[in-house]
Amino acid sequence: MNRKLVNIVLIVLAVAIVIVIGKDFIGKKAGKNIENPFEYNMDEFRKVDSTQILYAETFHFPLKIHDWAGITVSDSMIIVASANHLLKFDYSGKQIFGKQLIDTATCITIDENRQIWIGMSHYVVMYDINGTLVKRWNSFGDRALFTSLAVSGENVFVADAGNRIVYHCNTNGQIIRRIGEKNEQKEIPGFIIPSPYFDVAIDDGGFLWAANTGRHTFENYNADGSLRTSWGVTSFKIEGFSGCCNPAHIAILDDNSFITSEKGMPRIKIYDQHGQFIGIVAPPAAFEGSLAPDITVDKQHRVIALDFERQQIRIFERKKE
Amino acid sequence: MSDKKEPKSIERRRFIRGGMQMALAVSLGGVAGFSLLKSTSKELVWQLDPFKCVQCGRCATECVMTPSAVKCVHAYDLCGYCDLCGGYLKPDSNARSTAAENQLCPTAAIKRKYIEEPYFEYVIEENLCIGCAKCVAGCTSFGNGSLHLQVRHDRCENCNDCAIARVCPADAFQRVPVDNPYLIKGGFTKGGTSKDQLKKG
Ligand code: SF4
Ligand code: SF4
Ligand code: SF4
């Protein structure tokens, strides 16, 4: 009898607990689905005119390791640096090479002699195409944070977001010139780099371009470090750049048109050599999250994106007219 | 008396019944003990993990306090001091103008101070902040993520069952030790929100 009573009490209590927990769970679930009256809504800006989309994604493949640093391309070979590895893929996504790096990579590029240059936050290394370490520069100090490299002949340009400067170096890492230091007499506004997004690229004429991301401008420098020209548009509209640190990544095609990749509301666009908006490579709808994909371009004018959110390499090709 | 063994089925029934009783007693004891621990645990306070927060707006609407005990705080050492602050300006604003209609904060709780061309410092006026996380969303998307939310312990009632924690879609709320009550992203050094002052709260 006693045992029966204990059982009944226990069961009643158990049912009560289940009801309380269930109610709490349902309440929470319902609560989790209510609308946000303070939503930061960018839906309007995500919409684009589909006739402006000039490229289509033709292929993508997944990356199995994380902490990617950057992407570059050569001879139909896609080369990516993760924090600790250097990997090569063919365009079908097959990994054809992999090697552990000596340190944590932050950026990568390849030169015309197929030498791979990697920024290691505060110093630079160079590997040959087979992954043999050939050069290791001295450190540029604790404040340095290398975010981009561009190589033209014997000239290596290093974007340092930490010191907000571009170093023009020889291939051994000796500084030839500091580019972009604020100088009112020479009308150089100085780089405004609020966060570590600071890309450089070389155009067909061998001239340096740097993305002054805090000002939404592209700046073009002469060999002597003087400002040659610049362009940029601050706007949330598709033609412009907005928010802090855009365009986060840049690449230049061999016809000197610019490819840009933005953070916040990721999108990839194309501009002509004078900075005139031409169209969209990949609209905001093609991306999740807010990280800007790193980008590179090949001789066939394909745009290859390293999508940090999806952990994919994505290949975009110009649509046929 | 017989020492004859009971049939296996009865043995099993008794075993199951005994096991059920034990399991129920243990689980009830556990639930009661947990509730007791939760309700009497004075050394723990509620805090939200800013890295989990998805800026859903519920910190503004669900807190038992009006305005919410959750406030925006600023990690100055992470901030880019941008002229084009994504947490301060509406996405479609004319970035060069900081007129009220261009400000993202619904209560104008973020004050902007000129430092030098083109840098600005952003300070939160806590009395105006309702913890809506709109600026956090803007800063996370377009900035460095230096603006983030925290339960301010000079305002929080430390409810047994935090009304926000119940509905937080990111499960960002947790109990933290009272002597280390903030889960901050970076340092607070400006505008009266130093880490020490936060602790005192
Ligand atoms: S309820 Fe959770 S997700 Fe929503 S704003 Fe508060 S902490 Fe962030
Ligand atoms: S936008 Fe919301 S969370 Fe940010 S300061 Fe204003 S009221 Fe506070
Ligand atoms: S514990 Fe209470 S007062 Fe504190 S944040 Fe939660 S609901 Fe608000």
Side-chain angles (χ1 to χ4, degrees), chain B residues 46 59 62-65 68-70 151-153 155-165 173:
Chain B
W46 289 103
C59 276
E62 304 301 314
C63 181
V64 297
M65 304 294 286
S68 173
V70 176
V151 176
R152 292 305 310 267
H153 295 293
R155 296 162 195 266
C156 174
E157 291 287 296
N158 199 23
C159 315
N160 277 339
D161 188 12
C162 171
I164 313 172
F173 276 71

Side-chain angles (χ1 to χ4, degrees), chain B residues 22-23 26-27 54 82 105 116-117 125 133-134 145 147 191 195:
Chain B
M22 181 62 89
V26 167
S27 62
V54 295
C82 325
C105 176
E116 61 166 5
E117 168 58 20
E125 202 161 296
K134 209 168 181 176
L147 294 172
K195 207 169 163 184

